């Protein structure tokens, strides 16, 4: 599947929007007001993301910080 390059373009291009509670493995989660950060939902309350440039990709627990900064999710391929 082809996706645009930026997080904002990806959110706009994928038509199937998903709620925080409705996320399933493989959904793309977006954070911050401008949807400037994205992770892939890994299931069981975890996501995979690159924390910042030059840092290793990590699997992290989605805690209150991420819930507060959540600004949408999409399900590519549907």
């Amino acid at each position: 599947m082809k996706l645009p390059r930026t997080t904002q373009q990806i959110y706009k291009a994928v038509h199937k929007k998903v709620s925080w509670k409705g996320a399933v493995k493989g959904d793309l989660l977006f954070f911050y007001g401008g949807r400037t950060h994205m992770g892939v939902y890994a299931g069981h309350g975890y996501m995979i993301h690159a924390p910042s440039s030059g840092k290793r990709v990590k699997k992290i627990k989605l805690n209150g910080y991420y819930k507060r900064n959540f600004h949408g999710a999409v399900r590519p391929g549907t």
Side-chain angles (χ1 to χ4, degrees):
M1 150 169 262
K2 285 187 173 187
L3 290 172
R5 188 184 73 81
T6 70
T7 56
Q8 295 94 348
Q9 291 169 335
I10 292 168
Y11 186 83
K12 187 175 179 182
V14 178
H15 298 290
K16 176 67 177 177
K17 306 302 186 219
V18 180
S19 69
W20 175 266
K21 289 186 177 186
V24 298
K25 289 179 185 179
D27 286 348
L28 305 178
L29 309 176
F30 297 85
F31 300 92
Y32 312 118
R35 295 188 180 97
T36 55
H37 186 69
M38 183 182 80
V40 180
Y41 188 62
H44 303 290
Y46 286 86
M47 94 169 157
I48 298 168
H49 80 130
S52 61
S53 181
K55 300 226 175 152
R56 290 183 177 217
V57 172
K58 295 181 177 182
K59 181 178 178 182
I60 61 160
K61 181 80 171 157
L62 289 165
N63 58 25
Y65 172 81
Y66 285 102
K67 189 168 185 178
R68 284 190 305 277
N69 288 289
F70 176 74
H71 272 81
V74 298
R75 185 166 298 149
T78 58

